[in-house]
Amino acid sequence: MSTINEQEFRTLCEEVRENAPVILQGLTDPDRKTGALLIAVFQRVCEHLHLDAQAQMASLEDRDGFALLQTLEEHMQPEFFYSNIIDHELLSAL
């Protein structure tokens, strides 16, 4: 099984933050902006883990980033506090 560590996840979040102006283009609703960033990170995490993002999202019935969090729970090695990274590295782009 593929894994992801804290530094790899932080790097993916930083990439999404750098691309946030393009990802968020045309979005005005704060919830949709947050969702768009979480989906962008989820897609990168799945790519890193060699998972099909669409299949993973469908199997986990994604709601409000649940697929991202569940995928991290299943694949992070060693465990790390991903919520802090999401808040500081990703959602600071909003």
Side-chain angles (χ1 to χ4, degrees):
M1 177 168 72
S2 298
T3 62
I4 188 165
N5 66 37
E6 182 173 356
Q7 186 54 50
E8 292 165 335
F9 181 64
R10 185 179 303 277
T11 298
L12 295 176
C13 287
E14 289 169 355
E15 288 175 10
V16 170
R17 185 182 69 219
E18 290 171 10
N19 292 310
V22 173
I23 295 167
L24 300 176
Q25 190 172 1
L27 298 178
T28 56
D29 181 272
D31 290 338
R32 292 197 58 207
K33 286 182 174 184
T34 300
L37 292 176
L38 292 174
I39 288 170
V41 171
F42 173 71
Q43 291 170 335
R44 284 168 173 79
V45 167
C46 286
E47 186 177 304
H48 174 84
L49 296 171
H50 309 288
L51 298 172
D52 180 319
Q54 295 294 353
Q56 184 77 353
M57 192 175 283
S59 72
L60 294 172
E61 299 177 16
D62 185 52
R63 284 183 208 87
D64 301 321
F66 176 75
L68 170 62
L69 305 182
Q70 187 60 39
T71 302
L72 288 171
E73 286 288 336
E74 292 172 4
H75 294 275
M76 65 178 162
Q77 189 68 31
E79 288 189 21
F80 58 90
F81 293 108
Y82 53 79
S83 59
N84 291 340
I85 297 169
I86 291 170
D87 289 345
H88 295 285
E89 301 296 338
L90 183 65
L91 300 184
S92 63
L94 295 177

